[in-house]
Amino acid sequence: QEKISAILEQKRISEDEMTVASDVQRVIFPDLSQTAPHRCAVFHRPFSKVSGDYFDVFPLAGGRTGFLIADVSGHGVPAALLTMLVKQVFRQYAHDCTDPAELFRKINTEVCAVLHDYRSTIYFTSFYAVLSPDGTLSWCKAGHLEQYRIRGADGAISRLTSDGIIVGIETDVNSMYKTESAPVGKGDTLVLLTDGILEACSPSGEAYGEPRFADALRRYAALDTAGLTEALSSELASFIAGLDRLKDDA
């Protein structure tokens, strides 16, 4: 009975610590009500009480805006701690780097140095884009999924492709990061996601997948930011049909 009581007490302490960690991590996420003139909305579901996924929207010099999404390896507290490092290094270097690829080169060098002893197990994928006042969107992805742009004029959907490798593995791959650019128009929508949505499974074990997600984007392309986010999250909820959680952070 004493051993059982000790186990239960340790379980209670661990759960309390996870709750505190969740509350602390919540502070690092941006307040999307403060992103004017851009209208932003988010769907975020951690695998556990803390998340290895991170997103950010922040102002830059010259009226530019940075848009970031990152997916840290693993789950739980180690992944959540790395999201804090992700926020720190992006906020530290983004103001001095106008080129997203150059930003990733600096961040990869920094993260590799910090995580030198854990390179094979702790790393993250990411997508970072900068929107300039002249309507130019520049972006680079680091081992991350291709992201989407919905054109406001006609609802056409395109993928934002670029080269880049996972952050935190090796520094001799810095030359692989490449920036791509394209003009965007008023009413265009940038859709950023991690693989937690695509890997979500139905009760029968079928993955939601990229084709199904892209099809949903086409059907809801005319909605505003909040409406699109709500429609996509509702469709995902119907697909997993009452399962209590996803297989990964999303």
Side-chain angles (χ1 to χ4, degrees), residues 22-248:
S22 177
D23 292 341
V24 171
Q25 188 189 37
R26 195 174 297 117
V27 174
I28 75 170
F29 287 97
D31 179 2
L32 296 183
S33 67
Q34 304 298 316
T35 58
H38 310 296
R39 292 173 293 178
C40 300
V42 63
F43 168 82
H44 183 215
R45 293 292 183 276
F47 176 77
S48 61
K49 286 188 176 181
V50 291
S51 176
D53 282 0
Y54 178 69
F55 61 91
D56 204 354
V57 181
F58 47 90
L60 297 168
R64 298 174 299 127
T65 303
F67 299 90
L68 168 70
I69 192 163
D71 184 357
V72 174
S73 60
H75 305 288
V77 173
L81 289 173
L82 187 51
T83 63
M84 296 184 180
L85 175 61
V86 171
K87 176 174 182 174
Q88 174 190 336
V89 293
F90 271 94
R91 289 290 184 113
Q92 178 180 351
Y93 294 119
H95 294 279
D96 297 324
C97 290
T98 58
D99 178 18
E102 179 60 25
L103 176 61
F104 272 121
R105 294 182 194 114
K106 287 189 176 183
I107 288 175
N108 184 55
T109 300
E110 174 88 1
V111 171
C112 282
V114 172
L115 302 178
H116 182 271
D117 295 332
Y118 303 95
R119 288 188 188 179
S120 62
T121 57
I122 302 178
Y123 49 85
F124 66 90
T125 67
S126 181
F127 175 92
Y128 176 66
V130 176
L131 180 61
S132 299
D134 65 0
T136 300
L137 184 72
S138 301
W139 69 87
C140 181
K141 70 183 183 73
H144 202 71
L145 301 170
E146 292 182 352
Q147 307 297 281
Y148 297 86
R149 167 201 173 189
I150 302 175
R151 195 160 58 192
D154 55 12
I157 296 173
S158 59
R159 290 178 174 86
L160 302 177
T161 63
S162 70
D163 294 331
I165 198 164
I166 293 169
V167 177
I169 300 296
E170 294 290 346
T171 56
D172 59 3
V173 298
N174 281 352
S175 62
M176 297 178 65
Y177 296 110
K178 304 293 183 184
T179 294
E180 300 290 342
S181 298
V184 297
K186 184 176 181 180
D188 285 8
T189 300
L190 185 64
V191 180
L192 308 183
L193 72 153
T194 63
D195 58 7
I197 291 177
L198 305 187
E199 294 175 356
C201 288
S202 67
S204 65
E206 179 185 7
Y208 190 67
E210 192 276 339
R212 187 176 278 106
F213 181 81
D215 179 66
L217 282 184
R218 294 184 186 96
R219 287 186 281 111
Y220 301 126
L223 298 178
D224 63 12
T225 305
L228 176 63
T229 304
E230 177 62 28
L232 293 174
S233 61
S234 295
E235 185 148 315
L236 181 64
S238 297
F239 180 79
I240 65 176
L243 296 179
D244 58 350
R245 65 180 182 179
L246 305 178
K247 295 178 65 177
D248 195 2

